[in-house]
Amino acid sequence: MRIPPTAWRLLAIGWTITMLIGCLTPHDQIPSELNTWNDKSLHVLIFAPFTLLWMLTGLRMGYALVAGLLFGILIEALQYALPINRSADWKDVVADCVGAALGVGLAIFWQRLFPDSIS
């Protein structure tokens, strides 16, 4: 079954917006369940689908990795600059890059497993 490129784009945009909202939510408003997770693990887990979805839209691997890096830096800069009781951490950017690389691997696996699902 072929999934239209527009569907992949909508999923990628939706996930990107969800990530931004989640990462810019004031610390005291984050659900307590998420506070029990390791922060770096969460970064890896949210950036893997980010890169996967953008690659499934047709974005090339290099561009997807750069997008993950730049988006991670943007989030950390906003956490530093905005009064949301969140702190910036370069280790989070590294975890974002690890997640983005994992997403690339998942995209390559997806494309081999379901070659007819994307354009």
Side-chain angles (χ1 to χ4, degrees):
M1 177 172 102
R2 188 174 182 287
I3 299 171
T6 304
W8 289 122
R9 282 187 211 103
L10 289 173
L11 285 169
I13 291 167
W15 184 251
T16 302
I17 291 169
T18 301
M19 287 173 61
L20 189 60
I21 291 169
C23 290
L24 298 181
T25 298
H27 187 62
D28 59 349
Q29 294 178 17
I30 297 174
S32 60
E33 295 82 19
L34 291 179
N35 286 328
T36 61
W37 282 65
N38 178 291
D39 179 54
K40 305 311 177 244
S41 298
L42 283 174
H43 280 266
V44 171
L45 289 174
I46 65 172
F47 270 83
F50 171 84
T51 310
L52 166 67
L53 290 170
W54 281 110
M55 283 189 65
L56 292 177
T57 70
L59 193 64
R60 291 184 180 173
M61 177 177 41
Y63 291 119
L65 287 170
V66 169
L69 170 65
L70 293 177
F71 193 53
I73 290 170
L74 173 68
I75 287 171
E76 295 305 312
L78 290 171
Q79 286 181 343
Y80 175 78
L82 296 174
I84 56 174
N85 195 21
R86 301 284 293 262
S87 60
D89 185 356
W90 283 105
K91 292 177 188 172
D92 288 347
V93 176
V94 172
D96 299 341
C97 290
V98 170
L102 178 62
V104 166
L106 291 172
I108 292 169
F109 179 72
W110 179 280
Q111 291 168 343
R112 289 187 181 157
L113 195 60
F114 306 107
D116 295 330
S117 68
I118 57 174
S119 54

